[in-house]
Amino acid sequence: MSFQAPKGTFDWLPPRSEWALLVRDALSAPARRAGYGYIETPAFEDTALFSRGVGESTDIVTKEMYTFESRGGQSLTLRPEGTASVVRAVIEHGLYGGALPIKLWYSGSYFRYERAQAGRYRHFSQVGAEALGAEDPALDAELIVLAADGYASLGLKNVRLLLNSLGCKECRPAYRAALQDFLRGLDLDETTRQRIEINPLRVLDDKRPEVRAQLVGAPLVTDHLCGACKAYHEEVRGLLGAAGVAYTDDPRLVRGLDYYTRTTFEFVHDGLGAQSAVGGGGRYDGLSEMIGGPPLPSVGWALGVDRTVLAMEAEGLITERAGHVDVFAIPLGEEARRRIFPLVSELRRAGLAVDMAFGGRGVKGAMKAADRSGARYALILGERDLEAGAVQVKDLTTADQTAVPLAEVVEVLKGKLS
RNA sequence: GUGGGUGUAGCUCAGCUGGCAGAGCGCCAGGUUGUGGUCCUGGAUGUCGUGGGUUCAAGUCCCAUCACUCACCCCA
């Protein structure tokens, strides 16, 4: 019997896994500095939260959810995205009764039942941030700037920001109707024709060349925005410019979740294969009410951790990192191992990163291991040293070696490494 | 759901019109009775994805099947 990770999933292994941790940290750091508090919600929720929140017409809900029945007969679903859960938690705990906006960030695993391909997995990882309860273009701009700063802090140069406005419940219906009129006149396959009736904006997203060619003259949302939406969008654009964040207006940008209104954006990168979005988000003014909460105009984003690592690889930012211990201890013989083990523990308690040779290997093999560990110093303890009450401290970069009394090793190494 | 590609050592892969299972890297050991990163020597690891067929003979040809992968669809 042998096992392998389920289709569409993968394991993060060292040393590459270090970058996943680093990316998670770097993408969330700007939000933490901007007053966003940490929220952690369950990995599964009531199925209806997603079908009503994300939208019955979306692909996510119609064919990509991991839905199962609990022993009590309740329908539960592994979360396919984070926003619905956060809004649910805010409503459930009445957080909207306090100071607004409520600013939250989170990080975790998400699940969508899709055919895997480069950059697209059934289990993936996102960092998210949401600001709930305020309708202020500065809040939209803040979130976008925070995400852009996160990517920039990782050294990414080729992340582009696409920006659009999808209008609101006042102006979207008219646009939707105009778009449907246009699309119905095109030569399209059956599934796409169905999409025109259910979710016409999504058709603008089609990548097939024969479809793209026909979409050239399609009506654009930006030409159908009401006065309020137009003004709001202009304000967001102005603030982004003022903060020095470059963006491209993309009137074709639509997103796969139904709850978006007004500001929508996507961060894209060309080095990921067919998947180009490394992050995205937007405003969702009606979501709270859709799932039974009070009016709570909000905006947020989710950034893909796995995809960001792929983007960094594409830009050559992922380099082999040297090992991460400072000291590597080598006992020669059992007596030496018994003596060096507590010394290793003591060094670690003193704040040094320390590893040691296990498995009773010879000096040569142990030295090889010390070299691979990336340690600056090797500690060698053998019979002769035990008799002398000292340990050999070898600087692996210069090959200088000196005997240091056992009682003084901790202080000496702390001094050398500070 | 649809279409393409690939399955051979831990990893990356070579293996021609069928004829003894290979290389590089990595790993382990020795060269150095207690010293790494270079060098030299040696060693271990294989159900050639799986099942069937053709053949004196199959990693190689045929059929089926599974897995992985890329792309469409969709999205982080």
Side-chain angles (χ1 to χ4, degrees):
Chain A
M1 192 67 200
S2 67
F3 294 101
Q4 55 187 342
K7 187 191 282 286
T9 68
F10 64 97
D11 300 306
W12 279 108
L13 303 172
R16 195 168 171 269
S17 51
E18 290 292 325
W19 294 95
L21 288 176
L22 194 144
V23 163
R24 196 182 292 277
D25 196 55
L27 293 180
S28 56
R32 280 177 283 158
R33 280 197 297 270
Y36 288 69
Y38 180 66
I39 182 171
E40 198 167 312
T41 62
F44 55 85
E45 297 270 1
D46 193 314
T47 299
L49 172 65
F50 299 120
S51 50
R52 290 172 57 188
V54 176
E56 299 280 7
S57 71
T58 62
D59 278 32
I60 291 178
V61 169
T62 56
K63 55 184 196 191
E64 297 175 1
M65 295 206 303
Y66 279 96
T67 297
F68 60 99
E69 194 173 291
S70 75
R71 286 172 186 257
Q74 187 187 7
S75 180
L76 299 172
T77 295
L78 295 182
R79 58 183 179 192
E81 59 103 44
T83 304
S85 299
V86 170
V87 176
R88 188 226 83 219
V90 165
I91 297 169
E92 179 175 343
H93 302 288
L95 300 187
Y96 53 84
L100 299 176
I102 305 146
K103 296 162 91 175
L104 300 166
W105 78 273
Y106 52 91
S107 164
S109 292
Y110 298 86
F111 310 87
R112 292 184 199 171
Y113 188 83
E114 300 180 272
R115 284 288 286 268
Q117 68 187 68
R120 191 178 76 182
Y121 313 104
R122 291 182 171 184
H123 169 233
F124 57 101
S125 183
Q126 300 187 146
V127 168
E130 316 282 348
L132 304 95
E135 191 180 295
D136 182 340
L139 204 50
D140 304 45
E142 168 176 286
L143 275 160
I144 293 172
V145 171
L146 294 175
D149 286 353
Y151 290 123
S153 74
L154 289 166
L156 285 164
K157 299 264 187 294
N158 303 327
V159 173
R160 291 178 293 120
L161 168 60
L162 306 179
L163 184 68
N164 195 20
S165 173
L166 292 181
C168 61
K169 58 174 184 280
E170 306 301 323
C171 49
R172 181 112 59 107
Y175 169 65
R176 187 185 143 106
L179 182 62
Q180 282 177 321
D181 277 349
F182 173 85
L183 294 173
R184 287 188 190 115
L186 303 182
D187 175 29
L188 299 166
D189 61 281
E190 187 51 35
T191 45
T192 308
R193 300 198 73 84
Q194 284 171 12
R195 191 170 300 130
I196 294 172
E197 305 309 320
I198 304 166
N199 200 341
L201 300 205
R202 293 233 53 84
V203 180
L204 294 176
D205 225 13
D206 205 302
K207 271 194 268 186
R208 290 172 294 184
E210 66 273 20
V211 178
R212 300 233 97 159
Q214 296 188 72
L215 291 174
V216 171
L220 302 174
V221 232
T222 30
D223 296 332
H224 290 73
L225 295 179
C226 62
C229 285
K230 189 164 281 191
Y232 194 96
H233 193 53
E234 280 314 308
E235 191 60 27
V236 172
R237 296 176 75 239
L239 289 168
L240 287 178
V245 170
Y247 59 88
T248 307
D249 289 306
D250 182 357
R252 297 271 174 97
L253 177 69
V254 291
R255 314 218 65 244
L257 296 84
D258 281 355
Y259 52 61
Y260 285 114
T261 53
R262 290 195 168 170
T263 310
T264 51
F265 52 91
E266 210 163 274
F267 289 92
V268 297
H269 194 280
D270 297 324
L272 311 186
Q275 310 303 321
S276 60
V278 291
R283 181 157 276 281
Y284 47 94
D285 292 338
L287 177 55
S288 174
E289 288 150 290
M290 275 188 254
I291 60 175
L296 214 53
S298 306
V299 55
W301 47 241
L303 314 180
V305 173
D306 323 288
R307 285 192 183 175
T308 300
V309 174
L310 290 176
M312 290 179 71
E313 275 169 339
E315 290 196 27
L317 296 169
I318 303 287
T319 47
E320 272 299 305
R321 302 223 290 176
H324 27 267
V325 296
D326 304 317
V327 177
F328 195 90
I330 299 171
L332 305 176
E334 297 208 6
E335 191 51 43
R337 188 186 61 203
R338 286 187 203 109
R339 184 62 194 84
I340 215 165
F341 184 83
L343 176 60
V344 165
S345 301
E346 206 183 329
L347 286 164
R348 288 173 181 156
R349 289 176 191 135
L352 304 185
V354 187
D355 197 1
M356 65 177 274
F358 292 100
R361 43 201 325 198
V363 213
K364 185 174 172 134
M367 281 302 293
K368 248 182 188 307
D371 191 50
R372 274 194 296 257
S373 78
R376 174 75 193 275
Y377 296 100
L379 291 186
I380 301 148
L381 188 69
E383 307 269 316
R384 297 203 295 265
D385 309 301
L386 280 170
E387 277 173 35
V391 61
Q392 302 294 325
V393 176
K394 177 164 185 169
D395 184 326
L396 291 170
T397 55
T398 63
D400 290 336
Q401 181 171 323
T402 51
V404 175
L406 276 166
E408 298 170 21
V409 191
V410 177
E411 282 313 309
V412 168
L413 283 171
K414 273 175 77 175
K416 283 178 182 292
L417 287 161
S418 61

